Amino acid sequence: MAEGQHKLAIFRGLLKFKSNQQKIWGVLIFLSIVTTIEVGLGILKPEVLMTSFLRMKLLNWIFILLTIVKAYYIAWDFMHIRDERSGLKNSIVLPLVILIPYLIFILILEADYIFDVMDIGFVSWNF
Amino acid sequence: MEVTTNTQVNERELWGGGAKPFSASYGKIMMWFFIVSDALTFTGFLVSYGFSRFKNINSWPIADEVFTHFPFLHGIDAPMYYVALMTFILIFSSVTMVLAVDAGHHMNKSKVTFYMLLTIIGGAIFVGSQAWEWKNFIKGEYGALETKGGQILQFVNLENDKRISIQDFAIGINSERKTHKSNIGLWYQNEKTLPKITVEEVKKGFLANPNLTIRTEQISENGQKTLLSRDEAIYKIDDATGVVEGANLIHNEYGNRLFADFFFFITGFHGFHVFSGVVINIIIFFNVILGTYEKRGHYEMVEKVGLYWHFVDLVWVFVFTFFYLV
């Protein structure tokens, strides 16, 4: 791939880089900032974010969201998905985007059900 | 004649069918499909971790209390700092890898060599760090008692509200009990090495010191582990059947045993990926030095192992979130 074939803009064209190397360092800085925010939140654990939202702490939702953001930039800019044809892009991303949420949905729902059974059941698990 | 040379150059990039699907090479697409399937394997692991966690949502170990070590800082409670450092190391080695790929596009052999070397070093540091994490996890810190139902009882000193190691308060009892070996018994059976301390010794030490109480696995409303009152604790300690020090696949002093199992399997599987990535990187590194890709006319091989290496980084981002942050 020649230099001209790299797409050098990130954040939907908000930030444009002059060369591919510059883009790499830019993405590194962005990923480092996100990781620092994650670690900072994990250490501080602000009281505001400890409220429950959809049966999980708000803080945990933020962690998961930031993780997906990081994963997006690793795949798009380090693994050059941004530069691939849309056919290849879709055949990589779509199976994962469809299968993973499905697996999460069925297993977490089942786990929640088992928790209820063990919690309100007549069998003691703690003896 | 010139025309023939040109078509030959182009044909080298074509697949067997005479076309170039997705305008990508065969090797690159197959690497991508391997990554997709491997991503689903990791998904299986992480989602089953989520399953076990939601199943035991009110008694799961709190990661901040498990991973508290930092090299050279003994006895200082430093949750997560070391894993955060590991994350930075891995992201950085990902950057040097992508810079190597970029240098490869410019056919710059010396730069590719240099960046590949940095990537290998980063990967090696990461694997070493993970081994160190495992060592601390396996060794354990405070020790605990295990009950008949498989629950873990940890000990807290009420004077300073801190965890106390069972070795610090157990009172020694002279006992005849020795590790059974196959050569001294009637049956050709042996047993695992006995813990240094027995349940009786821990019990005796616990009853002698009124400042101690038990911390159970249960998580209370405020997100902390539940402390028993002294009376409850004295009653509860009779349930104990064994001493647990550290963690393995069967016993786990930090709480639910599944936590240790998933820790070993997921970080182990990921660590194995990093290790094999380092080995592949070393092979490619020597190929670069030998000029294999210079002769071939392109550095696509670096790009392909680069994809694998970034994938390993990508997985770590998720493992980091679900094991240490959430």
Side-chain angles (χ1 to χ4, degrees):
Chain A
M1 235 181 306
E3 183 71 4
Q5 280 167 284
H6 286 296
K7 290 180 183 149
L8 296 175
I10 62 170
F11 304 136
R12 300 204 155 270
L14 207 66
L15 199 56
K16 283 198 180 73
F17 294 101
K18 287 197 194 73
S19 70
N20 195 36
Q21 276 113 321
Q22 270 193 0
K23 188 178 83 166
I24 294 164
W25 289 112
V27 173
L28 169 69
I29 291 167
F30 176 69
L31 292 178
S32 303
I33 291 171
V34 174
T35 309
T36 312
I37 292 173
E38 280 183 336
V39 174
L41 283 177
I43 289 165
L44 293 174
K45 292 201 193 320
E47 206 55 45
V48 198
L49 299 175
M50 300 306 265
T51 46
S52 187
F53 174 72
L54 289 178
R55 307 202 66 171
M56 202 158 69
K57 273 182 228 145
L58 203 55
L59 185 67
N60 289 355
W61 283 111
I62 292 173
F63 284 146
I64 291 170
L65 187 76
L66 289 176
T67 305
I68 292 169
V69 169
K70 274 199 311 194
Y72 173 86
Y73 282 99
I74 290 173
W76 252 247
D77 290 309
F78 288 175
M79 297 168 99
H80 301 301
I81 285 204
R82 208 187 281 280
D83 305 326
E84 300 294 353
R85 290 271 182 92
S86 65
L88 183 57
K89 205 188 279 188
N90 289 337
S91 63
I92 293 161
V93 177
L94 284 183
L96 298 177
V97 169
I98 293 166
L99 289 174
I100 294 173
Y102 175 59
L103 192 64
I104 293 172
F105 169 72
I106 51 176
L107 277 178
I108 300 299
L109 196 72
E110 184 68 12
D112 198 46
Y113 168 71
I114 295 176
F115 171 76
D116 284 343
V117 169
M118 283 165 65
D119 200 35
I120 56 176
F122 296 103
V123 182
S124 173
W125 300 92
N126 191 354
F127 50 89
Chain B
M1 281 308 278
E2 275 166 26
V3 180
T4 341
T5 345
N6 264 338
T7 39
Q8 265 177 351
V9 170
N10 287 335
E11 267 171 15
R12 278 177 62 192
E13 296 191 340
L14 298 179
W15 292 28
K20 201 178 177 195
F22 301 132
S23 64
S25 73
Y26 177 80
K28 207 167 133 184
I29 288 184
M30 290 309 129
M31 180 51 93
W32 265 115
F33 288 165
F34 164 71
I35 286 173
V36 169
S37 70
D38 214 20
L40 289 172
T41 311
F42 273 107
T43 308
F45 265 135
L46 282 172
V47 175
S48 50
Y49 171 79
F51 174 85
S52 303
R53 188 167 171 167
F54 273 87
K55 185 179 145 189
N56 300 292
I57 194 76
N58 60 359
S59 62
W60 200 249
I62 298 168
D64 282 356
E65 297 173 354
V66 179
F67 308 102
T68 56
H69 300 271
F70 198 91
F72 309 114
L73 299 179
H74 296 288
I76 293 172
D77 192 39
M80 259 174 32
Y81 291 99
Y82 194 54
V83 222
L85 183 70
M86 281 164 70
T87 309
F88 281 117
I89 290 168
L90 203 58
I91 290 180
F92 196 77
S93 86
S94 215
V95 166
T96 53
M97 185 79 232
V98 78
L99 287 170
V101 173
D102 190 73
H105 289 152
H106 295 111
M107 300 297 288
N108 189 335
K109 184 180 157 185
S110 61
K111 263 193 170 174
V112 178
T113 317
F114 175 65
Y115 285 131
M116 284 298 289
L117 183 68
L118 285 185
T119 311
I120 291 165
I121 292 170
I125 295 175
F126 183 85
V127 177
S129 307
Q130 224 168 26
W132 192 76
E133 283 269 308
W134 271 47
K135 185 216 99 193
N136 286 326
F137 188 77
I138 292 168
K139 195 166 144 241
E141 200 171 4
Y142 299 104
L145 292 186
E146 196 174 279
T147 66
K148 280 174 271 178
Q151 266 77 23
I152 286 294
L153 306 176
Q154 297 167 332
F155 294 92
V156 171
N157 192 347
L158 287 172
E159 276 177 341
N160 54 5
D161 272 336
K162 283 200 171 142
R163 298 270 308 275
I164 180 164
S165 167
I166 53 171
Q167 288 184 357
D168 293 345
F169 67 85
I171 295 174
I173 303 170
N174 284 329
S175 148
E176 294 293 304
R177 185 78 169 82
K178 284 192 181 124
T179 308
H180 180 66
K181 298 204 174 91
S182 61
N183 59 350
I184 49 173
L186 283 174
W187 301 99
Y188 295 99
Q189 280 180 334
N190 52 7
E191 65 180 356
K192 295 228 174 78
T193 327
L194 292 171
K196 285 185 279 299
I197 308 168
T198 64
V199 180
E200 292 309 318
E201 286 169 340
V202 177
K203 268 188 201 171
K204 197 176 165 196
F206 178 77
L207 294 174
N209 188 342
N211 287 322
L212 301 182
T213 192
I214 285 179
R215 211 171 83 126
T216 61
E217 282 183 22
Q218 294 297 312
I219 295 174
S220 59
E221 289 292 311
N222 58 9
Q224 301 293 317
K225 297 280 181 183
T226 315
L227 284 182
L228 297 182
S229 70
R230 179 73 186 170
D231 290 340
E232 286 172 324
I234 290 171
Y235 176 71
K236 188 75 185 167
I237 201 166
D238 280 333
D239 290 345
T241 55
V243 173
V244 187
E245 285 179 306
N248 52 41
L249 289 174
I250 304 159
H251 302 290
N252 173 14
E253 69 155 61
Y254 307 102
N256 199 317
R257 348 175 136 169
L258 282 172
F259 180 82
D261 296 344
F262 278 112
F263 177 77
F264 288 128
F265 274 98
I266 296 178
T267 63
F269 196 54
H270 177 263
F272 176 68
H273 274 76
V274 181
F275 175 73
S276 48
V278 170
V279 171
I280 297 166
N281 276 346
I282 289 172
I283 296 169
I284 302 298
F285 173 70
F286 281 113
N287 271 337
V288 172
I289 291 181
L290 292 172
T292 312
Y293 308 123
E294 198 76 33
K295 271 179 231 141
R296 199 177 284 178
H298 57 79
Y299 279 85
E300 201 188 78
M301 209 62 201
V302 178
E303 204 173 327
K304 278 182 273 193
V305 330
L307 283 179
Y308 179 73
W309 191 252
H310 297 312
F311 171 69
V312 167
D313 181 29
L314 190 72
V315 170
W316 178 254
V317 166
F318 284 92
V319 173
F320 174 62
T321 301
F322 291 115
F323 253 97
Y324 297 95
L325 288 177
V326 169

